[in-house]
Amino acid sequence: MAESVMQLQDVHTRRDALALGLALGCCGSGAQAQTSPPARNLRPTAGDCLVRAVGVSESAEALRPDDVVSAGPQLLAWAKEPASGVVRDGSRLNQILLLRLDPETLDAETLARAANGVLAYSATCTHAQCPVTEWRQEAGILHCPCHGSEFDPRGGGRVVGGPALRRLPPLPLGLSAEGSLEVAQPFLGKVGGQVA
Amino acid sequence: MRNFKRMLMAGVAFAGLAGAPGPVQAEVKTYSPVTEQRLQNPEPRNWLMYRGTYDGQGYSPLDKINTSNVADLVPVWTLSTGVMEGHQSPPIVNDGVMFVTTPQAQVIAVDAKTGEQLWRYKRQLPEDLTQLHPTNRGVALLGDRVYVATVDDFLVALDAKTGKEIWAKEVEDYRKGHYMTLAPLVAHGKIMVGGSGGEYGIRGFVAAYDANTGEQAWRTYTIPKPGEPGSDTWTGDTWKTGGGSIWITGTYDPEQGTAYWGTGNAAPWMGNARPGDNLHTTSVLALDVDTGAIKAAHQYHHNDSWDWDEVDPPMLVDIQKDGRTIKGMVHPGRNGYLWTLERGEEGISFVSGVPFVRQNVFTSIDKKTGRPTYDEARKPGLNKLVDFCPSLWGGKDWPPAAYSPRTKMIYIPANENLCGSLSGKMMDYVPGQLYLGAGLEDIGLTLFPNADHVGELQAWDLSTNKKMWSHPFAKSQLWGPVLATGGDLVFMGGTNDRDFRAFDAKSGKVLWKQKTNSGVTGVPVSYEVDGVQYIAVQSGWGVDAQRMQDSLAKVSVDYRNEVPQGGVVWVFAVRKR
């Protein structure tokens, strides 16, 4: 097990760790801004807004609940740091899927994480890290095209089919003062697959 | 920081073993440099490349293990790889040193006689890598180096004695869906690789790198860009995302300096999403190894709509036919036809094509060109659900067939009686995301009515195109690469009962079998050290053998067999009496 965890290391993260070491060595603790990995690589962070993952640019507009089609399919998104405008697309593990579902169909915990019926989950399948891009409309189930893992978005992202063993980590959402979608808390649970 | 953490973790692990010796990273003490001369004419005691020899026959002339003593074959050593998923690579052996690869592109060097581990290379993979086909199909050798193509799309050169990385060159960007699983091909000082990722809508290619420096020498795309010959077989921009990936090692004719590569299906899956023949997908390409120039090409079937990759390259075999010797190119296709082509002065010409499994798509084959005519009712399309045989995994997928020059037979690991259904839908192309263009609810797998088996090892006489014998597997599909030997034996696993077997090459009778840890989808090899002949193979079920298992289990209770995963290298020899 430890071995597979070690293999999950990100080349970027390693490079960043190296850079961090150098930064500390040269500048001491004063260089706070330089000690964190580039914002692109960081997982979605509380206060981030959300932008479309396809055709992304730094001027991309923050998504609002109405931008997400009601009753599916999912919309793939990245988090964006509002102050710097940096889109967090440095790791594919940062990708988010958004769904807008009838709040009355959600379980209590899921409802609490939704913003105006919009739900967010990690878009990365917990089996083999494919993007979960398929939506089974009638069943209301998220489907991974690589190996057929299935997740219930109304029930906290729990596994309902296929080889995955862990739920899709939820990403609690809120609304900004301007009414756009906003990350309320980091992903709940480990993002990514069983082995890399 | 991370390395420090790793050291700490390693320290904890050692403490837990209470004084047990740590992993020994021994060096290879004596190593025979691999010259191109040796690659062209390998000693019978060695297995220096993916199929043993450049012609791709998968044949070892060794005959100490033969029909008279194979019943006494016993394991002499095994080695757990500690890795899950599909172990498909051949143990490649050079004068007593064995190199095996595992999924995640790990390379293990082992003393081929004793099983002692000499070194191990573990590649650190990116955290956000997706592995649709977690496997690797082996190393290539040249000089004092070992070459491996990785799943995050690097070509890596290792020191054969120590396993230390000499260089690693990025071939393409894994984030866009590029990856590699094949063993590289070595010729004229170049290391050739091909790219996987047809499922992600990549444009396939073969690329050659200087064996010393790792600099790219050339790159030839399987799909012509506008203005290049064949570009008129594509519509609009469809060529940019047209697939034609390369994921099995090419064969090579040193006399001509020509490498033969099989190409994958066109992307996305539905033919009417990209009207035209779609050259050079589902084809064989003859490439000049010095320049990468396309010398000749032949397309097995045009405008593929069935996901029938034809990546398995043609085996180069001399065939006696109609009173003359044909320099043959033989390919048992995923499309269910056994193709024979001829390589001559004027390029590639068609000789014959006969179905080796139930096939209901081709209505005829042009006698001169080999071009099939389709039953359009059996051709899936956008929003058009269609049944067809064989299934999308074809009559034979990637597991290589073998040929014995003694019996003049080719041994084909086939899947019979399996049919499928497909339908397509339009999709937006997003780099790095699956671009199959198929409705998931509409990928079906069915057994032909009253089918009594699926997996079937078939022996065909290439001079007459006659099936000489076959061995059916009543309760399993077949994903077994084949080895033929001078002892008139054929070795193969590939079934969900975890067996690895020896067949009589002439009669097809099973002479020996061994239950292994997992399913055997590895390429079997034979070698000799200090006068003893060995048979070696990896057992480690996964990838599409597992996918087909999961699909079959839904179709029929007969095929519900759990196959545990985890890789083990097995080495066998005849028990001394």
Side-chain angles (χ1 to χ4, degrees):
Chain A
M1 280 308 282
E3 201 149 283
S4 61
V5 171
M6 284 194 284
Q7 280 148 3
L8 283 171
Q9 283 182 9
D10 180 9
V11 285
H12 303 296
T13 315
R14 273 185 283 123
R15 260 185 233 137
D16 300 337
L18 208 63
L20 159 65
L22 288 174
L24 283 174
C26 300
C27 314
S29 57
Q32 197 62 41
Q34 288 177 43
T35 59
S36 51
R40 270 190 75 201
N41 292 356
L42 283 180
R43 301 277 182 266
T45 305
D48 285 354
C49 62
L50 300 174
V51 295
R52 284 174 202 275
V54 181
V56 61
S57 72
E58 289 198 3
S59 62
E61 281 194 29
L63 287 165
R64 304 170 71 87
D66 287 350
D67 294 326
V68 185
V69 178
S70 192
Q74 63 269 50
L75 176 68
L76 295 184
W78 297 112
K80 178 174 152 180
E81 190 176 54
S84 63
V86 171
V87 175
R88 303 198 199 276
D89 59 358
S91 168
R92 301 203 300 175
L93 296 187
N94 293 352
Q95 203 161 56
I96 299 160
L97 69 82
L98 298 172
L99 271 170
R100 192 163 158 220
L101 301 173
D102 180 352
E104 290 195 6
T105 64
L106 309 180
D107 72 19
E109 287 187 343
T110 304
L111 182 63
R113 297 178 198 126
N116 276 15
V118 177
L119 292 168
Y121 289 96
S122 164
T124 306
C125 184
T126 55
H127 170 236
Q129 307 203 144
C130 292
V132 180
T133 51
E134 300 281 337
W135 173 246
R136 291 181 53 202
Q137 188 77 45
E138 326 77 65
I141 291 295
L142 293 160
H143 182 107
C144 178
C146 287
H147 306 91
S149 292
E150 297 194 322
F151 306 93
D152 174 12
R154 293 177 169 87
R158 71 194 173 98
V159 179
V160 289
L165 298 173
R166 286 184 288 112
R167 70 173 182 176
L168 277 185
L171 183 74
L173 294 182
L175 290 176
S176 71
E178 296 78 35
S180 56
L181 294 165
E182 190 176 89
V183 176
Q185 282 180 58
F187 284 122
L188 304 179
K190 183 191 161 202
V191 176
Q194 278 138 268
V195 289
Chain B
M1 290 263 294
R2 290 236 177 193
N3 283 337
F4 180 59
K5 203 161 142 197
R6 274 179 78 175
M7 283 161 63
L8 271 181
M9 286 171 70
V12 170
F14 293 156
L17 288 172
V24 180
Q25 288 288 93
E27 281 200 7
V28 178
K29 289 191 187 77
T30 53
Y31 187 74
S32 308
V34 175
T35 60
E36 298 211 19
Q37 209 171 9
R38 289 185 63 208
L39 290 173
Q40 287 183 24
N41 197 9
E43 310 83 7
R45 66 178 180 273
N46 286 321
W47 193 276
L48 296 180
M49 64 187 81
Y50 178 63
R51 293 304 284 140
T53 47
Y54 275 139
D55 53 25
Q57 294 182 4
Y59 173 78
S60 166
L62 298 177
D63 60 3
K64 284 182 181 163
I65 300 171
N66 53 53
T67 50
S68 73
N69 62 9
V70 70
D72 288 333
L73 212 56
V74 288
V76 290
W77 60 263
T78 61
L79 174 69
S80 279
T81 68
V83 181
M84 302 293 271
E85 273 294 348
H87 285 62
Q88 301 180 349
S89 83
I92 285 174
V93 179
N94 176 26
D95 284 347
V97 182
M98 175 188 289
F99 303 96
V100 290
T101 65
T102 72
Q104 306 164 10
Q106 297 192 17
V107 185
I108 310 171
V110 193
D111 182 316
K113 183 179 174 181
T114 65
E116 183 196 356
Q117 183 174 312
L118 300 169
W119 53 255
R120 183 168 182 140
Y121 170 77
K122 285 189 190 178
R123 181 155 183 82
Q124 297 201 356
L125 298 171
E127 66 162 11
D128 60 351
L129 183 68
T130 298
Q131 291 191 58
L132 192 62
H133 295 103
T135 188
N136 184 279
R137 300 194 181 87
V139 299
L141 305 180
L142 184 64
D144 288 325
R145 291 183 181 179
V146 175
Y147 298 89
V148 62
T150 73
V151 70
D152 57 339
D153 226 50
F154 281 75
L155 174 62
V156 178
L158 304 174
D159 183 319
K161 289 186 178 172
T162 63
K164 295 224 163 66
E165 189 176 294
I166 297 165
W167 46 254
K169 299 287 176 184
E170 185 180 39
V171 174
E172 257 292 355
D173 186 352
Y174 77 87
R175 293 173 195 82
K176 293 177 183 159
H178 292 270
Y179 62 103
M180 292 191 288
T181 53
L182 79 179
L185 174 66
V186 174
H188 287 203
K190 293 181 183 64
I191 313 297
M192 285 166 272
V193 293
S196 298
E199 317 86 355
Y200 298 98
I202 65 137
R203 179 181 172 220
F205 60 85
V206 179
Y209 293 83
D210 183 283
N212 284 324
T213 64
E215 293 306 308
Q216 183 180 299
W218 50 259
R219 179 173 297 209
T220 299
Y221 285 92
T222 59
I223 300 175
K225 66 173 186 278
E228 290 177 343
S231 58
D232 57 345
T233 64
W234 294 84
T235 309
D237 280 343
T238 54
W239 62 278
K240 290 181 179 171
T241 52
S245 56
I246 302 257
W247 45 276
I248 295 292
T249 314
T251 48
Y252 177 56
D253 183 338
E255 280 176 29
Q256 302 175 318
T258 306
Y260 294 92
W261 296 87
T263 67
N265 60 292
W269 278 358
M270 293 306 121
N272 63 356
R274 41 175 166 74
D277 279 3
N278 307 141
L279 293 178
H280 297 283
T281 62
T282 52
S283 299
V284 53
L285 282 178
L287 299 186
D288 183 313
V289 297
D290 290 323
T291 64
I294 298 176
K295 289 176 157 181
H298 173 85
Q299 190 172 48
Y300 296 107
H301 65 271
H302 51 281
N303 192 240
D304 177 84
S305 295
W306 306 269
D307 189 28
W308 287 336
D309 292 65
E310 301 298 352
V311 286
D312 196 16
M315 198 183 270
L316 309 182
V317 189
D318 287 346
I319 304 167
Q320 299 300 319
K321 206 156 193 157
D322 307 327
R324 68 184 187 101
T325 305
I326 290 172
K327 287 173 86 69
M329 304 163 60
V330 179
H331 172 64
R334 191 147 152 180
N335 61 23
Y337 271 59
L338 174 58
W339 301 99
T340 301
L341 308 171
E342 182 174 4
R343 58 197 203 282
E345 299 290 317
E346 278 146 42
I348 299 170
S349 52
F350 171 73
V351 177
S352 66
V354 290
F356 63 93
V357 294
R358 207 181 286 284
Q359 214 270 21
N360 63 9
V361 174
F362 299 173
T363 53
S364 65
I365 305 290
D366 185 286
K367 286 197 173 73
K368 215 168 167 190
T369 64
R371 182 185 175 90
T373 306
Y374 302 150
D375 177 350
E376 291 297 325
R378 300 285 181 197
K379 191 178 180 208
L382 297 167
N383 305 312
K384 177 187 166 197
L385 180 64
V386 160
D387 299 320
F388 57 89
C389 315
S391 77
L392 80 170
W393 282 296
K396 182 189 85 67
D397 205 284
W398 73 271
Y403 174 78
S404 167
R406 288 172 55 86
T407 62
K408 309 262 192 285
M409 288 186 227
I410 186 174
Y411 302 95
I412 305 172
N415 282 307
E416 174 61 298
N417 294 319
L418 262 187
C419 304
S421 57
L422 269 182
S423 167
K425 62 178 182 186
M426 279 309 273
M427 254 182 130
D428 291 331
Y429 170 74
V430 180
Q433 276 186 22
L434 278 187
Y435 186 58
L436 302 177
L440 286 161
E441 307 304 313
D442 296 327
I443 300 176
L445 190 70
T446 51
L447 277 170
F448 199 79
N450 304 317
D452 61 358
H453 71 284
V454 171
E456 183 181 339
L457 178 62
Q458 304 179 349
W460 286 71
D461 182 315
L462 289 175
S463 296
T464 58
N465 273 344
K466 276 199 182 124
K467 186 153 80 167
M468 304 304 285
W469 57 260
S470 76
H471 181 95
F473 296 96
K475 295 189 173 180
S476 181
Q477 73 279 39
L478 185 55
W479 287 79
V482 185
L483 164 72
T485 73
D488 286 338
L489 296 169
V490 171
F491 290 88
M492 190 192 69
T495 47
N496 64 13
D497 57 11
R498 308 182 351 246
D499 281 348
F500 181 57
R501 313 166 191 78
F503 298 85
D504 184 314
K506 290 176 182 158
S507 69
K509 193 178 168 209
V510 177
L511 300 177
W512 168 87
K513 64 181 177 181
Q514 167 78 46
K515 192 75 77 186
T516 71
N517 57 299
S518 182
V520 180
T521 56
V523 177
V525 307
S526 190
Y527 63 93
E528 193 174 287
V529 184
D530 295 341
V532 177
Q533 185 188 351
Y534 299 91
I535 304 290
V537 73
Q538 293 203 84
S539 178
W541 197 246
V543 206
D544 279 35
Q546 177 77 58
R547 278 199 184 93
M548 193 192 261
Q549 180 71 40
D550 295 342
S551 299
L552 267 174
K554 289 177 194 159
V555 174
S556 164
V557 289
D558 288 344
Y559 294 87
R560 267 178 216 163
N561 209 350
E562 286 283 328
V563 188
Q565 291 201 358
V568 172
V569 184
W570 289 77
V571 174
F572 304 94
V574 172
R575 184 202 309 267
K576 288 188 189 114
R577 294 277 182 192

